[in-house]
Each structure stands twice: as C-alpha cells, then as structure tokens.
Amino acid sequence: MESLDRRHVRAPRVTAAMVAARAGVSTATVSLVANGKTQGRVSDDNISRVRTAISELGYVVDSIGSSLARGVSSIVILVTPDVSNPFFANVIAGVRESLGAEYQLLLSVTDAGESPQASDVRKLLALRPAGLLVGAPSAGFLEDLSAAAPLVLLDAPGLESFAPSVNLDVAQGARELARHLASSGHTRAAYVDGITGTATFQLRREAFLEEAASLGLVVSQEHIIRTAIDVGAAAAAFAAAWPGWQREGVTAVVCGTDTHAYGMLQEARVEGVRIPEELAVAGFDDLPYSATSNPSLTSVHLPATPLGRKAGEQLRGLMEGRELSEPHVTLESSLVVRGSTVSS
Amino acid sequence: MESLDRRHVRAPRVTAAMVAARAGVSTATVSLVANGKTQGRVSDDNISRVRTAISELGYVVDSIGSSLARGVSSIVILVTPDVSNPFFANVIAGVRESLGAEYQLLLSVTDAGESPQASDVRKLLALRPAGLLVGAPSAGFLEDLSAAAPLVLLDAPGLESFAPSVNLDVAQGARELARHLASSGHTRAAYVDGITGTATFQLRREAFLEEAASLGLVVSQEHIIRTAIDVGAAAAAFAAAWPGWQREGVTAVVCGTDTHAYGMLQEARVEGVRIPEELAVAGFDDLPYSATSNPSLTSVHLPATPLGRKAGEQLRGLMEGRELSEPHVTLESSLVVRGSTVSS
DNA sequence: CTGAAAGCGCTTACAG
DNA sequence: CTGAAAGCGCTTACAG
C-alpha cells in the first residue's frame, strides 16, 4: 500500500535553471550543451561543468518546453487503420528500427478500419509532430496533412503526388497468383475482399481479376464478397457463401489478406470441405503463420518489416532536411505456393 | 512535383490569440471555452462568440502549449518489450478502446525483447505523459516510474506492490495443460521458453513444471530450452533439440508462446515428425491462427483484448483522479485442446 | 463574468 | 565565448 501512495508524490522536476545554477552558467549555455550545439560557442571549461551538473542532477531536457520553443516535437505519428493485422506489428518494428531513439513513435489508430477524419487530423497536428507516417490513406485525408509536416506514405498506391511513399508491388504477386491458379486448371474463382476501400486492396483485387480474366479464369460479380479483416468474420462469410460457390462451380478462392484466408480454412474444415481438392485457397501478406496453417497457405509475400524500415528512413531524411534521392520506393511481392492450392 | 514542395510551406498555426481577437475577448476566455470550463465563468454571449470564432478559424488547442501550462500532456505511453507478438496487436486494440479519444497512445518499444533502461525512462517522462501502461516489466524498471505518473501494469505478476495491475492467471491454464498431457499418457516432456526473463514466462514455466512433476510428467533440466519469440528461431531450436529429445523419450513439448509452437510445428513437418503421434505440441496465448495451424494447436487461451481494455480503464480512472475500486484485476486463462496434442 | 499578467521549460537571436 | 531577454501557446490564480 505504501508504495501505491508514492505515485501521488511527484519527484520535483530537474530544470535547466537548476543545472545552470549548479554549474554557474546561464540556462542558454545549459541548453547549448544539452543539445550538443557547443561547437565554437561554449568553452571547454563550461562544457565540462555543465556536463557534470547534468549527470549529478539527472537532468533531461523537457520535451514539452523544448517542443514549444522549437515549434516542433520529437514525436513521429504513425497513422494506420489496421492494427489488428499482424502484418502491422512487423511494420512497426521496421519503423522503430530506422527511426532510432531520437524520435518517439505515436500510434494513431482509427476505429475498426475506418479512414481517419479531418478532426482527427487536427488533433494529431496539435501535437506538433516531427513527422508523419501514414499507412493506406485516402486522398481526401492527405490534402490537409501534406502541408503540415514531413510526411511519408506507406502502401498508398496512386497517391504518389501527395508525398514521398513506400509502396508494395502487390499487382505483380496478384498476377502471379492468377497464373498459378489458371495453370492449375481452375476456371471459376471467388474473391474475398476487405471492407475498407483501401487502395492496396483494390489493387490486389483488380490486378488479380484482370490477369484471371485474360487467362479464362472467371470471377463473376456475385462471387466477390467482402468482410472485415478478422478470422471469425471471414469464417462466417465463407459459411454463408460456400453453398452458392459449390453449386456454381467455384473451385478456388483468393482472399485480400491471409487473415481472411485463415477464416476460410477454419470454416472449410468445420464443414468438411477438402482443401485444395474441392477448393483452393490463397491470400496476401504471407504472415508467419501461413507456413504452419492447415493446410499451409499459398500467399503473396509482402515485406512488412522492410516496408516500415524504408518508410522510417525516408521520413528521417525529410525531418533532417535532406533531399530524398529516391522519393518513391516500391518493394517487390512474390507468390509463395503452399498446400492450400496444390495437393501434396 | 509541385505538390511535393507544398510540405515545406507550413500553414500558419491558428492560435488562441487569433480566436480572441476575432471574438473580441481575451485569450483567457478562449481557453475557458475551448476546455469547456465555462460553468459560471463565461457569459452565454461570449461562449457563442468564441465558439463561432473557433469553428470559423478551425482552431484547435495546441497540445504543446497546453501541456506546458498544465504540467502534463494528454499522452499515454504504452511500454512493452514485445511488439512482434500478434498478441500485442489485440492488447493495443483493447487499450485504444477504453482510453477514448482524449488521450493519445504512444508506443515505446524496446529492442528485441529487452527490458527498458533507466535512461529510456527519463526520456519517456520528459514527454510528461498523462499516464503509463507498462507491460511485462522488471521490478527495477518500475522503481523510477511509479513516482512519476499514473501507472498501470499489464501482465506483471508479483509486482502488485508497485502499482495497480491487470494480470492474467496463466498458472491456472498451465496446470490444466500439465494435467491434460499427463492424462494423455505422456511421461517425458520438453519446455521451450522465451529468452526474456519476463515474469509471465517464468510463471507459465513454473506452474507447468510444478504440476507436471506432481503428476509424474518428467521435464528434465536439459529439456528446457530458450529461444526468441520468433517462428524461425523456434524452428531452428527444434531442429537442434529434436534428436536428443527423441533419443531420451520426450513425447510432448510445451512452448511459452504459440509463436514458439508454430516453429515447432513447422520444423517438425520438415523433418517428418508426426504430430501429435510422435510429439505432442502445446503453447500459450491461443493466437487466432492456432485454430487453423497444421495441426491446430492446443493452447492456453489468454484474453489479450480484455487485458488491454481493462488496463486502459484502470489508468483512465487514475488519470481522472478516481479511486480504483479494484486496483488489482486478474483475468482468467483456460486450456483449449486441439489436434496438436490429441490425434483426431 | 472578465482580462491583464505570471508562469510552465526551453531555445535562439542578439548585444556584448 | 557568454548571458539577459524575448518568445513559443497555453492555463490559471488574481484583482476587479
């Protein structure tokens, strides 16, 4: 109990004024030393007195005061509609890696895959972020943002005009997938899309459908369904759709994400549908679990960690005022064929 | 190109002074209205003039200025050593849900499952967080934090003396798992632990080992191995350990996380080890993919979203100065038996 | 009910 | 090389 109460007793904050007093200098000098801007501006003697005082007192520059004075904080905001997808965890890891310790990563998550609103944007900007990383945005959303802070887009195909971007070439993998299914003898397929109108989902779907059509793999309109990115929701959607698919000769289903595909696999097992014999299943993302699912899942591999890492690097360049040598980067995707489309 | 350049031209910030000028009042009045503290302090007339000016100008209270004046920001920092685990994505979702829109969630991720250092702590506190959510911390780490801001611990068994906490009763599920394996006829098991000395992992291991020992299920010291929480690392560990296990009669392996278990399943398949006939495999977490893995994975189910949600609620209570009616909450775990331990 | 003023902690021209 | 001072945008006693 005693220790519980301690949290009400805030330790007094160590300020630059306290350091200055101890070192016998002005706060201006403390600021210069604390920020490493001493070059030709502070005497060696003062540098060392201030450093000593800083470590004796345990002084850390207050970010709030600093941000107000500078006009910008050290916060980088990652805006994304989709935390629940494990793909995301790897993107975060990549961002953290390249951003380093100077910047703090703030997560802005919108509800249930919704696109963020203008009012959300204002609140975010009120934090005076050093930079913004925006995943899978809509064009309208970007209008306001691009003027406000250094900005890098992740997975935002078609929006290159707004800001530097790191994209995934999902179309390439989608076409590979269509060829794989067509050459495996399928002639009728279904498609399970996400419910967010995210550009990457559209691209995945369109590239697949186009290549499929050119190969005589038919995906009729009523065999394109949509569900949230959620194993359970996808499973329920499969249960509802399967009788029709079966009756109408669908022998393959492509899912916008592996998570959707897991739902297919799960429900197919419940209903005794044999995969891949009766139905071939494939997804996008190639999540770590796709290698161990039952059956293992054919998927278009997307490099999540490199995506985050590269976006972080680019943003860092912008924040530090560097010119980006390559403002738009595209990372490759490729098909990984596994048991869910090929019987072993 | 033209739009790319726009990001250098920052739109001028709308300040309280601009709103005040437009509404013909002082900035003090603007502040009162913007923060909804008008009760008996601002005339209806002024309230509406200010509101009008705010919406006409699109004014948003600057969080930096506000935080400096108040002495605290609206940022809630979530400190956790383990973003890569998908379990984490659900914890975040739960936190976001209960925290609402007033607070911004900042993610502090340490490298590769390391425990955060004292210097990291100071940097975090320099942001003047409104509250702190700390997952799976070490005791030393908490010493400094508990005095600095409202704090709630997640998954921090044994550290209840530092702060209010939300824990998972992993021991219960661990014991259930031991009973399940013993009653299935296993007499020798291996254990795959994480490499972070996280308390929950220790608890999982100890509860399992203790119950196993009491039931005659032997886990000898050399059959306890450790790897990072990573499918690939776990797979490699399995490859190295399996010959010994097989020789020494191990017929079951329990993994500290499902992610470890996926590695076992993956490598077992590569090596042609039949699961569960030759080796039963089980994990902790019950990630969404455990239901669809091959074979599906027996796992101790841990409620990730409720964990985050409850922790957010508790923290909110603290930040708003409420007394917590129940400072320490424990959520239940339970065993979910699937194909990886029971042949179907 | 209202506003002038102090203060939050820092950074940065500026004058010396 | 150094420090006094202004200023970042806001909130909050305080006096009226």
Side-chain angles (χ1 to χ4, degrees), chain A residues 8-320:
Chain A
H8 298 297
V9 189
R10 308 268 171 113
R13 182 168 293 279
V14 177
T15 67
M18 292 161 66
V19 175
R22 179 162 193 127
V25 299
S26 70
T27 59
T29 301
V30 172
S31 176
L32 259 14
V33 174
N35 292 297
K37 299 182 177 172
T38 54
Q39 190 72 300
R41 313 228 254 143
V42 184
S43 65
D44 287 352
D45 192 37
N46 273 349
I47 291 180
S48 72
R49 309 159 80 98
V50 172
R51 287 212 179 119
T52 303
I54 284 179
S55 70
E56 281 172 355
L57 296 174
Y59 172 70
V60 176
V61 177
D62 182 80
S63 350
I64 303 287
S66 173
S67 300
L68 186 58
R70 289 185 202 264
V72 64
S73 74
S74 59
I75 290 174
V76 167
I77 304 182
L78 173 59
V79 183
T80 161
D82 185 17
V83 247
S84 57
N85 193 330
F87 183 77
F88 180 77
N90 290 324
V91 174
I92 291 186
V95 169
R96 273 269 45 133
E97 217 176 276
S98 55
L99 227 41
E102 293 114 277
Y103 299 100
Q104 326 289 136
L105 186 63
L106 188 104
L107 217 61
S108 171
V109 181
T110 53
D111 290 325
E114 292 299 306
S115 214
Q117 306 302 308
S119 64
D120 298 330
V121 177
R122 291 221 201 82
K123 272 198 180 168
L124 293 181
L125 295 180
L127 290 167
R128 309 257 199 127
L132 254 27
L133 250 17
V134 181
S138 63
F141 177 64
L142 293 177
E143 293 284 357
D144 307 319
L145 279 188
S146 54
L151 171 64
V152 172
L153 308 180
L154 289 78
D155 197 17
L159 301 171
E160 287 79 2
S161 63
F162 287 98
S165 63
V166 183
N167 284 328
L168 300 172
D169 184 6
V170 291
Q172 175 184 316
R175 287 189 295 264
E176 258 186 83
L177 177 54
R179 290 194 292 273
H180 166 63
L181 292 176
S183 71
S184 302
H186 297 280
T187 56
R188 282 204 163 267
Y191 194 95
V192 182
D193 211 348
I195 48 175
T196 59
T198 318
T200 183
F201 291 155
Q202 195 181 327
L203 215 56
R204 294 172 192 196
R205 188 185 64 236
E206 284 172 0
F208 174 77
L209 293 180
E210 191 183 302
E211 185 79 359
S214 80
L215 295 166
L217 174 56
V218 178
V219 183
S220 64
Q221 201 57 44
E222 71 269 26
H223 293 151
I224 301 179
I225 64 174
R226 313 172 75 199
T227 89
I229 305 178
D230 177 275
V231 176
F238 176 82
W242 173 242
W245 291 357
Q246 190 172 27
R247 195 169 50 237
E248 290 144 25
V250 168
T251 59
V253 58
V254 170
C255 301
T257 72
D258 281 4
T259 302
H260 286 113
Y262 300 142
M264 303 287 116
L265 296 183
Q266 190 179 71
E267 189 64 19
R269 185 189 300 184
V270 170
E271 308 209 0
V273 180
R274 286 172 301 126
I275 302 206
E277 293 79 5
E278 283 181 83
L279 182 70
V281 178
F284 283 79
D285 287 353
D286 190 25
L287 301 180
Y289 312 106
S290 298
T292 43
S293 62
N294 181 17
S296 58
L297 184 66
T298 291
S299 184
V300 175
H301 177 79
L302 305 180
T305 306
L307 173 64
R309 191 189 300 127
K310 189 66 193 173
E313 276 171 24
Q314 297 281 72
L315 183 63
R316 200 163 170 163
L318 292 179
M319 294 187 300
E320 291 167 1

Side-chain angles (χ1 to χ4, degrees), chain B residues 24-99:
Chain B
V25 300
S26 70
T27 59
T29 301
V30 171
S31 176
L32 258 15
V33 174
N35 291 296
K37 299 183 179 173
T38 54
Q39 191 70 303
R41 314 229 253 144
V42 184
S43 65
D44 287 353
D45 192 38
N46 273 348
I47 292 179
S48 71
R49 308 160 82 97
V50 172
R51 287 214 178 116
T52 303
I54 285 179
S55 70
E56 282 171 356
L57 296 174
Y59 172 68
V60 176
V61 176
D62 182 80
S63 352
I64 303 287
S66 173
S67 299
L68 186 57
R70 290 183 202 268
V72 64
S73 74
S74 60
I75 290 175
V76 167
I77 304 182
L78 174 59
V79 183
T80 162
D82 183 18
V83 248
S84 57
N85 192 330
F87 183 77
F88 179 79
N90 289 324
V91 174
I92 291 185
V95 169
R96 273 267 47 130
E97 217 176 276
S98 55
L99 225 44

